[in-house]
Every structure is written in C-alpha cells, then in structure tokens.
Amino acid sequence: MPFMPVKFNLQKRVKLAQGLWMLYWLSVIVGILIFSLGIFFKIELRKRSEMMDNNESHLVPNLLILVGVLACGVNAFGGKVCHDSLDPIKFAKWKPMLKPYMLLCCGFNVLLLLTALLCFLMQFAMYLTLAEGLKNGIKFYKDTDTPGRCFMKRTLDMTQIEFRCCGNNNFRDWFEVQWISNRYLDMSNDEVKDRLLSNVEGKYLMDSVPFSCCNPGSPRPCLQHHLTNNSAHYDYDHRTEELNIWTRGCREALFSYYSSMMNSIGALVIATIFLEVRVRPQPASANQHRAWATLSLKGTVQHLGKSSCFSL
C-alpha cells in the first residue's frame, strides 16, 4: 500500500521487484496460516458448543477463513506481477491493472483491520456466552436420559478434567444445584427424604462435587462429598486446608483459553497488515521501457557478435 509514490531507476526497480516478490509469497504463507487458524478456532468452538449453550458466534473464525483465502489470492497475484515486471513485454499487460489492484489491497487491509478488532472486541461477548452456557450446563448435568442433553454430563466432566476447573465461578456452584438424578436416589432412605423436604423446590442439594473436580496431584484421596463438614473427615478443616479439588472456575479457564487464542490471532492479523503495507514502485515510464529494451538488445547483439567471432 503506498503512502508516498517513489521513483526508482532501472537497477533499483529490479531489486525492488525481487524483494517484493519474496514478501508477497511470504504473505501467501501468512494467509495460509490465518486460514488454518480460522479452521482450528471454528473446530474448538464446535467442540465446546454445549458449554456455550449453542449460542457461540462463528463470525470471527468465518472472517479468518475468508481473510486467509483472500490473502493467498491477492498476494499470489501481486507476486506474479512482480515476477513479470522484470520483463517489459510481460509487464505491459499488467500495467492497466495496477491501480485497481492497489484499491483492492486497500479494501483488503480494511477487512484485515476489522478482523483484528473483532478478535479483541468479541471476547466480552464470549465471556457472557460462557457464563450462561456453563450455568445451564451445570443445571442439566443430571439429565442424562433427556433428549438433547444426554451428553452434557460427559462434556462437562471432560471439560473440568481437561481445563482443571470446577463449576462455573468455582466449586461452590455445585452446591446450588441438584446434579444427581432422582433415578439414582434411594427414596426410601430417611436422609434423602429429609434433604428433599428441607428444600423449597424439592431439590436434593448437598455440599459435594462431581469426580471430575478432583485434583489428581493431591496426596490425599479425593474428598468430593461433605466438603464443608469438618467432622465428616479425619484431620480436615475446609477453612484452612487446601482442598484437593480444582478451585478455579471453568468460566475463567475457558475464557483464558479462548481469549489467549483470539489475542494471538489478532496480533498475527495486525502483523499481516504491516506486512501488506509496502512502498509501491511508480509504474515504469515509456523512456524506462525503451532503455530496458535497448539494454536487452545490446546484450543480444554482443552475444551474437562473440558467437560469430568464435565461429570464424
């Protein structure tokens, strides 16, 4: 992209064309990288779509895929023009296309800037989506026999294990929901009946967490039940002792994962913009083309002359 047009002599134009050719193909490689990251980001969103209540936005990954494809096409065309500019005959057919091509590059850079901004601005929307999705995921954790929620338990367990997190904000989120289905409760047990009757909504609440919250690095066997009852465990005080479950919330863990990915992609797109913004050489004048042609003709004549002398 030109800020100030600069005129070069013939030798400098050759060096500039060669340098720009290399930069254009470097930009093609960056375009392939952006396209690949867009595909990867889209797959990562699809993998944890349930954790976002299937309301995640695919605007950013779709834009990355589009920008990656355009970067490959635009820069491959620019590389071809730079390669052919070394030949005045081939360059003549590309010369009328230079100004439209530069306008296209300006529009492409605006699209790149928009994509980079969205990588940073859409993080807040993702944070809210994760908060709502994880809240509903914990609520529907027990519904393993309900169509549409059959795999929620497995997805949430795998997320907590992979990201070393527990609950939405923290492990206490599990205390506020009934995460064990009634089909697995012994309704003839007095303790179960008391818990159900003591709750206004008739839910079986307890100070326990699923097994996936357990920290395997803890030397003590996992304590996932009666976490706030000191008398239920030997030599245990939940106020002072470090719990052997993950204390980090999954919203924070997932947001940190996705935000770091979006920040890295946004930085790459900004770097691509700087790579795209180049000094544009002034189109060769008629005198320069005549001089180029004259040099080529002199070289041909000298070569033929040497060949003739050698043959004689």
Side-chain angles (χ1 to χ4, degrees):
M1 296 298 99
F3 288 122
M4 295 179 60
V6 180
K7 293 184 178 181
F8 295 97
N9 57 31
L10 187 60
Q11 289 77 15
K12 289 183 178 180
R13 287 183 64 84
V14 171
K15 291 181 180 180
L16 179 64
Q18 292 172 342
L20 287 178
W21 180 84
M22 294 180 64
L23 287 175
Y24 271 120
W25 284 106
L26 177 61
S27 298
V28 171
I29 296 173
V30 173
I32 294 173
L33 180 59
I34 292 175
F35 175 81
S36 303
L37 287 173
I39 295 290
F40 175 74
F41 189 24
K42 194 175 185 68
I43 292 173
E44 288 298 299
L45 288 175
R46 291 284 188 190
K47 280 170 61 177
R48 299 175 184 88
S49 181
E50 286 182 290
M51 296 296 96
M52 290 174 265
D53 213 15
N54 297 312
N55 288 326
E56 75 280 3
S57 173
H58 289 264
L59 175 62
V60 173
N62 290 340
L63 267 178
L64 289 171
I65 293 171
L66 174 64
V67 164
V69 172
L70 289 177
C72 292
V74 169
N75 290 295
F77 178 81
K80 174 64 176 174
V81 172
C82 285
H83 181 269
D84 289 349
S85 66
L86 298 176
D87 186 338
I89 298 175
K90 291 182 178 180
F91 180 73
K93 67 177 183 180
W94 296 118
K95 188 177 179 181
M97 302 181 188
L98 288 182
K99 288 186 178 179
Y101 174 70
M102 300 311 294
L103 292 175
L104 174 64
C105 288
C106 288
F108 176 62
N109 276 353
V110 172
L111 181 61
L112 280 174
L113 182 60
L114 175 64
T115 305
L117 289 175
L118 285 176
C119 283
F120 300 110
L121 297 177
M122 291 295 289
Q123 293 182 26
F124 180 70
M126 175 166 287
Y127 182 83
L128 297 178
T129 305
L130 282 170
E132 187 66 23
L134 284 167
K135 180 181 177 182
N136 292 332
I138 292 174
K139 188 190 337 183
F140 301 140
Y141 180 85
K142 67 181 187 303
D143 299 337
T144 53
D145 52 354
T146 304
R149 303 173 188 168
C150 302
F151 299 102
M152 179 60 73
K153 177 183 180 300
R154 178 183 180 276
T155 303
L156 194 47
D157 281 333
M158 294 302 296
T159 299
Q160 292 190 145
I161 292 172
E162 181 180 355
F163 288 90
R164 301 182 175 186
C165 58
C166 184
N168 186 359
N169 299 304
N170 53 58
F171 67 93
R172 293 182 180 274
D173 293 328
W174 291 104
F175 300 173
E176 302 171 3
V177 297
Q178 178 182 338
W179 55 272
I180 298 178
S181 176
N182 286 338
R183 63 185 296 186
Y184 301 113
L185 295 176
D186 183 6
M187 294 301 179
S188 62
N189 187 286
D190 292 336
E191 184 182 351
V192 173
K193 289 180 181 179
D194 291 341
R195 281 188 179 273
L196 291 173
L197 292 174
S198 63
N199 185 266
V200 178
E201 299 178 358
K203 295 181 179 180
Y204 184 75
L205 303 181
M206 53 184 179
D207 53 347
S208 303
V209 296
F211 77 97
S212 53
C213 285
C214 293
N215 179 1
S218 174
R220 183 168 186 164
C222 183
L223 302 177
Q224 64 181 106
H225 300 293
H226 308 294
L227 293 176
T228 58
N229 186 359
N230 293 335
S231 61
H233 310 286
Y234 174 72
D235 191 21
Y236 174 77
D237 186 352
H238 74 278
R239 291 185 296 269
T240 59
E241 184 174 341
E242 183 179 355
L243 299 176
N244 57 0
I245 59 173
W246 304 119
T247 56
R248 187 187 192 191
C250 288
R251 175 172 55 178
E252 179 188 348
L254 284 171
F255 179 71
S256 176
Y257 174 71
Y258 283 116
S259 62
S260 62
M261 186 187 304
M262 294 174 77
N263 286 335
S264 300
I265 294 174
L268 176 64
V269 174
I270 291 176
T272 306
I273 296 175
F274 284 109
L275 188 61
E276 292 286 337
V277 178
R278 304 184 185 92
V279 178
R280 177 174 64 90
Q282 188 76 5
S285 63
N287 292 332
Q288 286 175 316
H289 280 301
R290 282 196 294 269
W292 202 327
T294 302
L295 288 175
S296 301
L297 181 61
K298 285 182 179 180
T300 305
V301 170
Q302 290 175 358
H303 174 71
L304 290 175
K306 291 180 180 179
S307 300
S308 302
C309 292
F310 180 75
S311 61
L312 290 174

